[in-house]
Amino acid sequence: MKIKLFAIALLVFTFSEDVFAQATGKVRGKIVDGDNGEAVFGATIVVRAVKKFAKTDFDGAYDLELPLGTHEVEFQMIGFSAQKRTVTVTPGKPQVVNITFGLQTLETVDVKGRALNDAEAALLALQKKSSSVSDGISKEAIKKSPDSSAGEVVRRVTGITLVGGKFVFVRGLGERYSNTELNDTLVPSTEPDKRVVALDIFPSGVLKNVRIIKTFIPELPAEFSGGLVKIETQEYPEEKLFSVSVGAGGNYNTTGHKFLNMNQGNMLGGVNDNQKNPLANVPNVTPVVPGSIFGGYDPAVVQASSAEFNQKWTPDKGPAPFDRNFSINYGDTFKVGATSRIGILVGSTYNRNYRFRQEESNRYLGVAAIPNSTAGSTLNKLQDQKADLYTEERNWGNNMNLAYEITKGQQVFIKSLYTQQGEGVVRDANGNDYINLAHFKALTTQYTSSLIQHHTLGGDHALNWFGDRAHKFDWRANYAQADRDQPDLQQQVWRQGIGNPNPYDLTRLGDSNDGSRFFSNTRDISRTLKLNYEIPFDQWSGLKALLKLGTYSMSREKDFTFFWYGQKPNTATGLERYPLPGEVYSNPITFLDNTNQFSQQLPGQSNAYAAAQKLQAYYSQVDLPILPKLKVLFGLRYEDSYQKVKTYYTGNTTSSLNLDYGCDVSNDTVRVALIRNNICDPFNNGVGELRTKDRLPSFNLNWEVAKDQIVRAAVTQTLTRPDLRELSPFGFTPYYGANTIFGNSSLQRSYIHNYDLRYEYYLNPTDYVGVGAFFKQISDPIEMIGQPVAGGISQKFTFANAQQATIRGVEFDFRKELTSWLRFETNMFFIKSRVDVLSWEQYIAVQSGLVDTFSRVAAYSPTNLSRPLQGQSPFVFNLRFDFFLNEKKTQSIGVYYNYFADRLYAVGANYLPDAYERAVGLTDVVYTAKRGDHLEFKVAAQNIFDTRYRVYQKNELTGEKDLFLSYRTGVSYSFQATYKL
């Protein structure tokens, strides 16, 4: 009997203990300082009735477990008045209570989990409290949009235009005037000819927020004027998170239709071994060309080396598959002892898309209407092409966030991103060459693998040694690497006389372009170290101010190399007629029997550059309230930068010619004199070197003129330096008939004066109105300028410092929930810019032959002496409508519209007028739905009207807008389902 009673008592005790353990819930939230918007570290949250308490971490976040029921919660912090809230704790979803100490209140900001700031309201609150002008888009908005990459996401932000589907223009300024940071550290570029980061390489599934900082403050890099794009990846959650998404889609112009594909690369976007250059290990000092004991190799060895290459020349043909995507995320937080915890988030996302488009393009020769004048020109056609482009893209992104909170206020973390993109393109073109009076067909196949790995080790530390308010010290050490591998770009070209009616009477072109194989590699590595120290203090009337000091060190190396192999016929065999494929024409047998000659093409110029940059920066800034509603942020940033680029031919790697050489002197008159006296070789200008030391002040004013209404004003100075590649004077043509762009080793940095004024009205946590104006004056802007060219169907361009540029604009942003079932958002901007390329006196002197032909100015042949900034649209706007289909807003239809006005697409040269891209408006529709707490659906259609893109050049003689480029991208559609535990 006693045993039975004991068993019953044990059972009752165990059952009641389980019930008691389950009868609890959570209260969590964030506490911020109303004076400056900063998170409050070390605040105490107390529930006296049950003797429970917690403290806030570095993010101002807290988490408190309480019994079910109603409790009075007290929030305390030395230096602030205590606040009390009555909170009802229920089972299941935690109760969110956010507190603002001081003057303002942000109680309605929805902070989920660890104050992750990924909701629209939280990001808007962050913008409100920022000391600089900024805009952004949150993870919540990204999830609702139809966008699949960071590039598509960013074009929704005020003042942003997206060029080429991946390059961001902030306030009309091109990629050189903007920087991109990932998790507060620099992102290197995969592009060999641009500093810009191609944002299409970042899948939207790995993003938390994307913010655009539009005014400079000293803690930010000085090398931006348009803005700083800050990409933040997702962070670890407070409790377990697991989600899986799968999706499929297509394109009406592509899916199920004819598709050409070389099936290059691996599934994850890398490069297969059979694509790599089999002669890559041959010593550069001896190129693979027929020679003798004095250079080159035995002709038979050179001919036999052709058999080492992949022999596939003809694309596979079949119906285009459906697009597909997949992502998986896992995160959790684990307590370690009484005061420590470990947080983790790992995720992976994968997209594979297929696209087809038909492209039509023309190129012209410009003839001046009045000799030696830019008053106008007529256009004579040089070439026209019609091309079918088949593109397959694979995008694989992975991120990991691992953090260890040693104790409250002491945290170290690692954030890593590894993203890889593989893009295969088949370009099947036919056209006419009006210089050689020939009709041609050209088949170009290429594959590009781009990879970014970005690893940041950092720490956030509160130092309670100096009083009630903790000093803060944070540090970031980063290693980042960007690789771009373009293996085996192949070209085949056939031609016949114009007017020949026989479609099969085309013979191989038989020059260096036909049967060529092009290999290139780019590697960009950066190492950075950031140290920041914050000292809080009270100003004269007791308001809370902040002094921030810091240093930034960056070391960067970028290398680029290309190798080019070609063939030419030794005899006329008659077997080269179209459509004889490369598998026959370029078969190794044709080289072994000497029908064709194989060799490495020796470029008439350099084929490589090695570049490096060292940057050391220091800054000091003060965030100072003058009055309770008026504060200023002012300070100074000092940057010491050294850039060096050595351009060379790889065959000279052991030669004395590969040393630092050239006529790169700053005074052009001296340089010309040295050349004329045979002291300098004008073509050995292979070293670009630039050392600058700059002091860059910043002043930002923020005045809360009324409740939730802020006026911001800023006067700042920034700069932009030449990209490393732009200091390298070499160029190459990616396909037959394309333009060639050369660098310039004498470029100097540009200096920019920025003036900003903006009014912001925060109607509630999610509704907002903003109006702003800005003006920028740029000295020595770096611009693309045409060069004289004759006897070819391609244009030549280089980079040069223009005289000056100005840009002025107005921005407007409006977000409002109009009814319980309709939300409306719009943003737009108007911009006017002007670049003075050359003075009229310089232009006349060049055209009249009064300038020495070796002068740098003589190498420029711009059509217009002044023009707008390239890529800048005078008017851009976005519209967004969200229609909620039920009261809980778990189902909605979103309509997105993005429009940009005519913008300068390509700079005119040699009397050719500038090419302008005609205004385009794109409409997207997306349906989202939630089923319970676990299942989400999204169905989207993009570019639903299949808008045509058209670029034109104006013929001054006829007044017609002659075609430069035209294409459609088709209507895309997708479906995605997400399951969350």
Side-chain angles (χ1 to χ4, degrees):
M1 184 65 178
K2 290 182 179 180
I3 295 176
K4 290 182 179 180
L5 290 173
F6 177 79
I8 293 171
L10 181 62
L11 180 63
V12 170
F13 177 80
T14 304
F15 177 77
S16 63
E17 188 175 50
D18 289 342
V19 171
F20 179 78
Q22 295 173 5
T24 60
K26 285 189 175 183
V27 177
R28 64 172 55 144
K30 182 178 182 180
I31 301 178
V32 298
D33 184 339
D35 287 335
N36 55 30
E38 297 288 335
V40 176
F41 164 73
T44 303
I45 300 90
V46 180
V47 182
R48 300 182 186 277
V50 294
K51 298 181 180 180
K52 293 278 189 177
F53 76 96
K55 284 185 174 293
T56 55
D57 62 13
F58 244 132
D59 298 316
Y62 70 91
D63 191 305
L64 183 61
E65 187 171 294
L66 295 172
L68 302 182
T70 300
H71 302 276
E72 186 176 79
V73 184
E74 188 172 346
F75 301 86
Q76 302 174 347
M77 181 66 188
I78 296 175
F80 295 100
S81 299
Q83 297 190 30
K84 294 182 180 181
R85 296 289 186 276
T86 300
V87 180
T88 300
V89 179
T90 58
K93 187 176 182 180
Q95 301 300 306
V96 177
V97 180
N98 302 300
I99 297 296
T100 298
F101 284 139
L103 302 173
Q104 305 288 329
T105 178
L106 295 176
E107 294 180 28
T108 52
V109 175
D110 182 15
V111 180
K112 300 177 181 179
R114 288 184 53 260
L116 298 182
N117 292 325
D118 57 7
E120 290 187 71
L123 189 62
L124 199 60
L126 186 63
Q127 175 181 315
K128 179 181 180 181
K129 291 300 178 182
S130 172
S131 296
S132 60
V133 175
S134 66
D135 291 294
I137 187 167
S138 68
K139 176 186 173 183
E140 181 182 357
I142 293 170
K143 287 172 60 179
K144 294 178 181 178
S145 76
D147 304 322
S148 61
S149 72
E152 293 177 333
V153 166
V154 169
R155 68 188 169 104
R156 314 286 183 188
V157 178
T158 313
I160 303 298
T161 51
L162 193 67
V163 177
K166 53 187 175 183
F167 301 131
V168 169
F169 279 51
V170 183
R171 289 179 160 180
L173 289 163
E175 61 269 9
R176 77 171 61 261
Y177 297 102
S178 302
N179 253 331
T180 301
E181 287 190 344
L182 177 66
N183 296 324
D184 293 323
T185 50
L186 176 72
V187 183
S189 175
T190 59
E191 301 297 310
D193 55 352
K194 290 182 174 67
R195 176 181 62 197
V196 66
V197 177
L199 294 186
D200 63 337
I201 199 172
F202 297 101
S204 61
V206 304
L207 305 180
K208 182 180 81 170
N209 297 321
V210 180
R211 298 182 64 208
I212 312 295
I213 311 300
K214 295 182 178 178
T215 58
F216 167 68
I217 57 176
E219 66 179 281
L220 300 177
E223 200 169 354
F224 84 95
S225 177
L228 176 66
V229 181
K230 295 176 73 72
I231 301 173
E232 302 173 31
T233 55
Q234 298 179 34
E235 299 200 31
Y236 68 89
E238 181 67 25
E239 54 193 24
K240 182 178 290 185
L241 174 151
F242 180 78
S243 67
V244 177
S245 296
V246 293
N251 179 278
Y252 281 111
N253 287 0
T254 310
T255 308
H257 300 292
K258 170 189 169 183
F259 196 81
L260 302 183
N261 195 333
M262 291 291 284
N263 290 310
Q264 295 175 309
N266 59 40
M267 185 182 73
L268 300 178
V271 176
N272 290 333
D273 289 339
N274 64 355
Q275 297 174 260
K276 297 180 179 179
N277 183 2
L279 304 181
N281 294 324
V282 174
N284 290 329
V285 67
T286 308
V288 185
V289 296
S292 62
I293 60 173
F294 300 106
Y297 294 89
D298 183 280
V301 173
V302 174
Q303 295 289 69
S305 68
S306 65
E308 298 294 321
F309 290 83
N310 182 8
Q311 299 304 313
K312 183 178 177 62
W313 289 84
T314 303
D316 297 327
K317 183 187 299 185
F322 282 94
D323 302 340
R324 56 260 201 191
N325 63 77
F326 172 81
S327 68
I328 184 170
N329 289 278
Y330 167 77
D332 204 352
T333 299
F334 306 93
K335 290 186 176 181
V336 181
T339 61
S340 302
R341 63 178 177 178
I342 294 175
I344 184 172
L345 175 74
V346 291
S348 182
T349 181
Y350 179 78
N351 301 299
R352 190 163 185 170
N353 302 318
Y354 302 84
R355 293 294 180 267
F356 165 76
R357 80 182 193 202
Q358 291 182 316
E359 192 174 273
E360 184 176 355
S361 62
N362 296 335
R363 295 297 181 267
Y364 305 93
L365 174 67
V367 180
I370 302 174
N372 298 332
S373 170
T374 61
S377 59
T378 60
L379 301 182
N380 295 330
K381 190 180 290 186
L382 283 180
Q383 64 154 304
D384 57 47
Q385 288 193 44
K386 291 184 178 180
D388 292 340
L389 274 74
Y390 306 86
T391 304
E392 180 188 2
E393 183 179 287
R394 282 155 271 187
N395 206 333
W396 182 45
N398 306 272
N399 68 296
M400 182 193 74
N401 184 342
L402 181 64
Y404 176 48
E405 187 178 275
I406 305 166
T407 186
K408 291 292 184 182
Q410 305 296 328
Q411 176 178 269
V412 294
F413 61 83
I414 297 175
K415 293 182 178 181
S416 292
L417 177 79
Y418 182 99
T419 181
Q420 183 168 263
Q421 181 189 73
E423 182 182 71
V425 180
V426 175
R427 189 178 191 275
D428 188 8
N430 66 84
N432 297 294
D433 172 0
Y434 295 103
I435 291 181
N436 299 301
L437 299 178
H439 173 69
F440 65 85
K441 287 184 177 290
L443 180 66
T444 305
T445 59
Q446 63 178 312
Y447 178 81
T448 305
S449 178
S450 302
L451 181 151
I452 289 179
Q453 52 177 313
H454 190 277
H455 311 287
T456 301
L457 173 66
D460 297 313
H461 307 280
L463 308 177
N464 296 297
W465 307 335
F466 305 99
D468 297 333
R469 296 175 64 191
H471 291 210
K472 293 182 181 179
F473 172 66
D474 65 80
W475 55 277
R476 307 286 187 268
N478 173 263
Y479 173 85
Q481 178 176 315
D483 293 319
R484 184 180 187 271
D485 191 354
Q486 188 180 45
D488 208 5
L489 186 156
Q490 300 175 337
Q491 293 191 101
Q492 301 177 75
V493 186
W494 300 263
R495 69 176 176 180
Q496 65 181 171
I498 290 179
N500 188 335
N502 187 350
Y504 297 102
D505 195 22
L506 286 89
T507 57
R508 299 292 294 227
L509 183 64
D511 71 358
S512 58
N513 290 288
D514 181 29
S516 64
R517 320 185 76 130
F518 179 89
F519 298 80
S520 72
N521 292 93
T522 307
R523 171 160 289 182
D524 191 350
I525 295 175
S526 67
R527 301 172 180 87
T528 58
L529 176 65
K530 294 176 66 174
L531 306 175
N532 298 306
Y533 191 82
E534 295 184 9
I535 304 172
F537 66 95
D538 293 338
Q539 56 93 280
W540 53 87
S541 60
L543 297 174
K544 293 175 175 57
L546 186 68
L547 170 65
K548 194 169 185 178
L549 309 169
T551 180
Y552 174 86
S553 301
M554 188 267 286
S555 173
R556 182 184 174 206
E557 300 91 36
K558 187 169 185 176
D559 300 286
F560 175 80
T561 308
F562 76 81
F563 293 97
W564 188 17
Y565 305 90
Q567 59 180 294
K568 60 181 180 180
N570 286 329
T571 60
T573 64
L575 297 178
E576 70 276 11
R577 295 185 183 276
Y578 181 83
L580 192 74
E583 285 83 356
V584 176
Y585 177 71
S586 301
N587 192 289
I589 295 175
T590 67
F591 301 108
L592 295 175
D593 66 9
N594 288 321
T595 299
N596 291 329
Q597 175 66 54
F598 177 84
S599 70
Q600 180 177 339
Q601 299 293 310
L602 302 182
Q605 59 211 22
S606 304
N607 70 324
Y609 69 80
Q613 181 180 9
K614 300 285 187 181
L615 176 67
Q616 183 64 52
Y618 305 93
Y619 79 88
S620 173
Q621 68 184 42
V622 177
D623 198 341
L624 181 69
I626 306 300
L627 299 169
K629 302 288 187 178
L630 177 67
K631 70 173 181 177
V632 295
L633 186 150
F634 60 91
L636 182 73
R637 186 178 183 91
Y638 171 80
E639 289 197 348
D640 183 352
S641 170
Y642 175 71
Q643 295 171 276
K644 185 173 183 178
V645 182
K646 183 164 69 172
T647 308
Y648 60 96
Y649 166 53
T650 50
N652 288 339
T653 50
T654 61
S655 167
S656 60
L657 296 175
N658 196 42
L659 300 177
D660 292 0
Y661 59 88
C663 295
D664 186 24
V665 295
S666 57
N667 188 307
D668 201 44
T669 303
V670 174
R671 174 180 168 275
V672 171
L674 292 173
I675 294 172
R676 287 300 178 188
N677 287 280
N678 297 319
I679 298 174
C680 277
D681 184 339
F683 304 106
N684 282 359
N685 196 17
V687 175
E689 198 167 8
L690 182 63
R691 174 75 180 271
T692 59
K693 297 180 179 181
D694 297 286
R695 294 171 177 84
L696 302 152
S698 170
F699 179 84
N700 289 259
L701 179 145
N702 296 272
W703 177 27
E704 188 167 2
V705 295
K707 180 177 172 56
D708 297 322
Q709 298 181 53
I710 300 174
V711 172
R712 304 182 190 272
V715 179
T716 64
Q717 292 182 0
T718 56
L719 56 84
T720 184
R721 302 182 181 93
D723 182 42
L724 295 175
R725 184 269 179 266
E726 292 169 354
L727 289 168
S728 174
F730 87 101
F732 63 90
T733 302
Y735 60 85
Y736 183 69
N739 295 329
T740 305
I741 300 174
F742 296 87
N744 179 356
S745 60
S746 63
L747 290 174
Q748 301 298 311
R749 65 106 172 90
S750 303
Y751 206 61
I752 306 148
H753 297 266
N754 309 280
Y755 307 91
D756 289 86
L757 180 66
R758 185 150 96 167
Y759 165 77
E760 301 174 350
Y761 185 12
Y762 295 85
L763 306 173
N764 60 44
T766 59
D767 295 345
Y768 165 77
V769 177
V771 180
F774 60 90
F775 175 78
K776 299 177 184 292
Q777 187 171 26
I778 309 173
S779 61
D780 300 319
I782 300 170
E783 288 292 312
M784 188 180 294
I785 297 180
Q787 293 185 295
V789 62
I793 63 174
S794 301
Q795 293 289 320
K796 292 183 178 180
F797 295 87
T798 188
F799 297 96
N801 287 108
Q803 290 187 323
Q804 64 176 353
T806 58
I807 181 169
R808 53 179 63 87
V810 176
E811 296 176 330
F812 174 74
D813 194 347
F814 177 79
R815 311 174 205 177
K816 176 68 175 172
E817 193 161 304
L818 301 178
T819 70
S820 61
W821 55 270
L822 175 62
R823 179 172 179 80
F824 171 68
E825 296 184 7
T826 184
N827 60 68
M828 61 188 69
F829 66 87
F830 302 84
I831 288 181
K832 184 177 181 180
S833 66
R834 175 189 171 99
V835 178
D836 295 318
V837 181
L838 289 177
S839 69
W840 175 255
E841 292 77 13
Q842 287 177 313
Y843 179 80
I844 290 298
V846 171
Q847 296 298 317
S848 302
L850 300 177
V851 176
D852 193 293
T853 55
F854 286 125
S855 170
R856 291 191 178 102
V857 176
Y860 306 147
S861 183
T863 297
N864 296 314
L865 301 184
S866 63
R867 54 170 173 78
L869 286 166
Q870 184 181 7
Q872 173 253 314
S873 294
F875 176 48
V876 175
F877 75 87
N878 288 283
L879 294 175
R880 173 182 169 184
F881 295 90
D882 282 325
F883 300 91
F884 304 109
L885 305 182
N886 57 9
E887 289 186 7
K888 294 184 178 181
K889 299 182 180 179
T890 57
Q891 296 184 59
S892 66
I893 294 177
V895 179
Y896 295 75
Y897 183 74
N898 173 259
Y899 172 90
F900 62 83
D902 290 16
R903 63 189 181 194
L904 181 59
Y905 180 86
V907 174
N910 303 298
Y911 301 108
L912 280 172
D914 297 329
Y916 278 85
E917 185 173 8
R918 193 180 63 183
V920 168
L922 301 176
T923 305
D924 305 329
V925 178
V926 59
Y927 167 78
T928 57
K930 289 184 178 181
R931 298 293 299 272
D933 294 330
H934 302 292
L935 198 57
E936 297 179 3
F937 299 97
K938 182 165 74 172
V939 181
Q942 294 178 279
N943 188 23
I944 61 174
F945 298 113
D946 194 11
T947 303
R948 175 178 291 278
Y949 293 81
R950 190 176 189 276
V951 183
Y952 62 87
Q953 289 177 294
K954 187 175 181 180
N955 191 323
E956 298 291 345
L957 180 64
T958 65
E960 297 292 326
K961 294 181 177 180
D962 291 344
L963 176 70
F964 183 89
L965 175 66
S966 176
Y967 62 90
R968 294 182 187 271
T969 59
V971 181
S972 298
Y973 51 89
S974 62
F975 168 80
Q976 182 172 297
T978 302
Y979 180 77
K980 297 180 179 181
L981 288 180

